[in-house]
């Protein structure tokens, strides 16, 4: 069966057009057009009909028309922070938290990130590739057409490179666009516990140069937090990443304020992620440096915490924001960006339009792909979600229940109602 590659998408009840702002989240982040159509050529949007304008009278086969029967159409979703390279879930930790232990207590006892390390070290590259492919399928079914994806559960040169190779192999076989990130600086592995600076040297002198030379990573990330890496070590890692020509990302200020915002601003990082404990001065520095702040409310929710990142203050500081799942087996095992939109609206004070912008255009900015994804305008990729809804507000309103009726990647229908359509 040939894949459906429509030339025209017709019967659009509302088309949500996200504003491709050059700096901050726009005052009006989404405009909606009623009763329009899209024309696609070679995987790119080339024309949008005016409201009420009939479809051009051109000779096309019926297979070249996708009639969405009055539904809502949005850009494909962009998840700018995920950890899909792991073996096995960690539901046992969830049970322990339900009984009163905290994430940090569990991590100190050998759980948390380190609990996933042995699985990745023991797995072969083929096994990791197949696991990643299954997870990419699920992202696609939920409307995600581009992701950032991190290594970080190997924590040796061999296993971090293995993770990145498996990620690259999976991305070649899959429709989703993947922006790979080296997260060798996730935590200090047990064998370096008594000499963490030696491990930092391994990250800087071996992991980062190899990942860059082998074309396995577009960015380098690190976890600046008590129990992970400190500010001095983070500076060394960022310096090595910049010298290797990689984008810079940082997990920072998730549990404690540790200067991550200032460091990200100083180095002009592509994104600063979590930022739940960052102060206003930090956000002002990030805004001035043009760093996208990636907010991860799913991790706050799933860890049973109460302090969400202050999204309204972040926006008022002039920062551009994105929303992400933080998909990982320990602190946020969800792949649903619509659910993350709900949390952002209820717990962080975003409007549905702001939340949609943050999972489309905001994510594109975090990946430095804002020139080709994140919105539906002529010249952008035809990455498209069709929803059983009459307005954007319905997506976060129907929390935990929103799956696109159709997902298109570069103009090809790749999923329908939560079911992946094979390549």
């Amino acid at each position: 069966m040939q894949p459906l590659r429509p030339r025209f998408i017709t019967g659009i009840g509302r088309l949500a057009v996200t504003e491709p702002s050059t700096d901050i989240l726009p005052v009006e982040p989404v405009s909606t057009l009623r009763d329009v159509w899209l024309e696609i050529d070679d995987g790119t949007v080339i024309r949008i009909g005016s409201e009420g304008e009939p479809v051009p009278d051109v000779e096309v086969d019926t297979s070249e028309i996708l009639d969405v029967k009055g539904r809502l159409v949005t850009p494909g979703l962009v998840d700018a922070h995920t950890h899909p390279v792991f073996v096995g879930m960690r539901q046992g930790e969830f049970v322990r938290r339900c009984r009163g232990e905290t994430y940090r207590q569990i991590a100190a006892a050998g759980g948390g990130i380190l609990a996933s390390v042995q699985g990745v070290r023991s797995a072969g590259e083929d096994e990791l590739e197949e696991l990643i492919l299954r997870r990419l399928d699920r992202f696609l079914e939920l409307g995600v057409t581009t992701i950032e994806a991190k290594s970080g559960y190997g924590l040796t040169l061999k296993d971090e490179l293995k993770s990145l190779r498996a990620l690259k192999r999976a991305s070649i076989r899959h429709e989703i666009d993947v922006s790979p990130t080296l997260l060798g600086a996730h935590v200090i592995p047990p064998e370096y516990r008594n000499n963490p600076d030696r491990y930092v040297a391994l990250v800087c002198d071996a992991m980062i140069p190899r990942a860059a030379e082998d074309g396995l990573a577009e960015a380098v990330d690190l976890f600046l937090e008590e129990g992970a890496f400190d500010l001095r070590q983070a500076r060394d890692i960022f310096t090595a990443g910049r010298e290797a020509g990689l984008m810079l990302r940082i997990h920072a200020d998730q549990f404690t304020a540790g200067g991550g915002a200032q460091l990200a601003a100083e180095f002009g990082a592509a994104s600063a992620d979590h930022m739940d404990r960052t102060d206003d001065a930090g956000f002002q520095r990030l805004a001035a440096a043009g760093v996208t702040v990636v907010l991860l409310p799913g991790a706050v929710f799933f860890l049973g915490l109460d302090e969400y990142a202050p999204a309204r203050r972040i926006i008022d500081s002039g920062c551009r924001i994105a929303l992400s799942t933080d998909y990982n087996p320990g602190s946020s095992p969800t792949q649903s960006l619509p659910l993350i939109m709900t949390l952002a609206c209820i717990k962080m004070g975003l409007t549905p339009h702001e939340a949609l912008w943050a999972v489309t255009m905001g994510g594109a900015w975090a990946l430095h792909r804002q020139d080709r994804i994140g919105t539906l305008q002529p010249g952008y990729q035809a990455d498209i979600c069709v929803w059983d809804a009459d307005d954007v507000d319905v997506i976060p309103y129907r929390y935990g229940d929103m799956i696109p009726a159709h997902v298109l990647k570069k103009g090809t229908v790749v999923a329908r109602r939560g079911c992946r359509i094979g390549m």
Side-chain angles (χ1 to χ4, degrees):
M1 181 177 178
Q2 290 295 317
L4 178 60
R5 296 188 178 95
R7 176 176 169 185
F8 290 98
I9 300 179
T10 65
I12 299 173
R14 288 198 185 189
L15 175 68
V17 180
T18 45
E19 175 61 39
S21 171
T22 58
D23 42 30
I24 63 174
L25 189 149
V27 175
E28 296 293 339
V30 179
S31 58
T32 56
L33 305 176
R34 295 175 180 268
D35 188 21
V36 297
W37 47 264
L38 287 176
E39 185 176 4
I40 300 167
D41 183 54
D42 195 25
T44 301
V45 176
I46 61 171
R47 189 163 41 149
I48 301 174
S50 302
E51 294 190 335
E53 178 186 356
V55 178
D57 186 16
V58 294
E59 188 173 333
V60 294
D61 189 272
T62 55
S63 65
E64 295 181 282
I65 297 175
L66 175 62
D67 181 357
V68 299
K69 303 185 184 304
R71 294 184 175 94
L72 170 72
V73 169
T74 72
L77 308 184
V78 180
D79 198 332
H81 182 129
T82 79
H83 302 255
V85 190
F86 62 86
V87 177
M89 303 302 284
R90 304 206 314 255
Q91 63 268 29
E93 294 181 11
F94 172 67
V95 175
R96 291 170 67 179
R97 290 201 307 275
C98 291
R99 291 171 175 164
E101 291 184 71
T102 68
Y103 178 81
R104 298 177 77 182
Q105 287 171 335
I106 294 169
I113 293 163
L114 291 176
S116 292
V117 169
Q118 187 56 48
V120 167
R121 289 183 177 181
S122 300
E125 198 170 308
D126 291 346
E127 179 183 356
L128 291 177
E129 179 185 355
E130 291 303 317
L131 288 169
I132 294 165
L133 282 168
R134 278 185 243 160
R135 291 158 190 161
L136 293 180
D137 281 351
R138 188 56 181 159
F139 273 119
L140 198 67
E141 291 162 359
L142 292 167
V144 177
T145 51
T146 301
I147 66 166
E148 184 267 2
K150 307 176 193 295
S151 64
Y153 293 119
L155 306 186
T156 67
L157 176 61
K158 179 185 77 171
D159 292 304
E160 286 298 302
L161 294 178
K162 175 181 69 178
S163 297
L164 290 172
R165 284 195 303 269
L167 189 58
K168 183 171 185 177
R169 287 169 53 182
S171 68
I172 290 170
R173 293 174 58 190
H174 208 277
E175 297 95 335
I176 284 184
D177 285 331
V178 177
S179 176
T181 294
L182 169 67
L183 182 55
H186 205 175
V187 292
I188 302 292
E191 58 269 29
Y192 288 91
R193 186 172 292 127
N194 296 325
N195 195 349
D197 284 347
R198 188 175 165 208
Y199 182 70
V200 172
L202 175 67
V203 173
C204 294
D205 299 339
M207 286 187 193
I208 290 173
R210 280 290 304 278
E213 289 167 9
D214 295 352
L216 296 174
E218 294 180 355
V220 62
D221 198 348
L222 63 94
F223 189 19
L224 176 60
E225 186 62 68
E226 287 183 9
F229 296 86
D230 63 28
L231 196 56
R232 175 184 58 82
Q233 294 165 336
R235 182 177 296 278
D236 289 345
I237 294 163
F238 262 14
T239 299
R242 182 167 62 184
E243 289 175 353
L246 300 176
M247 289 187 287
L248 305 177
R249 309 192 184 285
I250 188 169
H251 291 58
D253 297 355
Q254 181 179 7
F255 302 110
T256 58
Q262 293 84 343
L263 185 71
E266 176 188 341
F267 278 80
S271 71
D273 302 21
H274 287 291
M275 314 313 287
D276 302 328
R277 304 293 188 270
T278 306
D279 61 19
D280 288 346
F283 291 127
Q284 289 163 8
R285 289 188 179 96
L286 292 170
V291 179
T292 300
V293 177
V294 180
L295 305 176
L296 309 169
V300 182
F301 169 78
F302 194 70
L303 293 179
L305 305 176
D306 297 319
E307 191 170 346
Y308 288 79
R312 288 258 61 90
R313 285 187 7 237
I314 296 171
I315 293 168
D316 291 343
S317 295
C319 286
R320 181 174 52 243
I321 66 166
L323 285 168
S324 169
T325 59
D326 190 16
Y327 174 61
N328 73 81
S331 62
S332 190
T334 182
Q335 294 180 255
S336 174
L337 275 176
L339 177 59
I340 297 302
M341 291 172 64
T342 303
L343 290 175
C345 291
I346 292 175
K347 295 294 188 178
M348 304 171 81
L350 296 187
T351 68
H353 279 201
E354 289 171 336
L356 179 66
W357 192 93
V359 299
T360 53
M361 205 68 231
W365 272 96
L367 304 186
H368 286 184
R369 300 186 182 202
Q370 69 277 4
D371 59 338
R372 58 190 187 273
I373 62 171
T375 191
L376 293 176
Q377 298 191 35
Y380 281 78
Q381 278 181 197
D383 295 354
I384 298 168
C385 287
V386 180
W387 306 89
D388 282 322
D390 58 5
D391 201 349
V392 170
D393 302 348
V394 176
I395 300 174
Y397 166 72
R398 288 180 53 186
Y399 74 97
D401 190 37
M402 288 303 288
I403 296 174
H406 303 279
V407 181
L408 288 81
K409 180 64 184 178
K410 295 179 182 175
T412 299
V413 178
V414 289
R416 287 195 183 98
R417 299 198 180 281
C419 293
R420 161 92 149 79
I421 299 172
M423 293 178 69

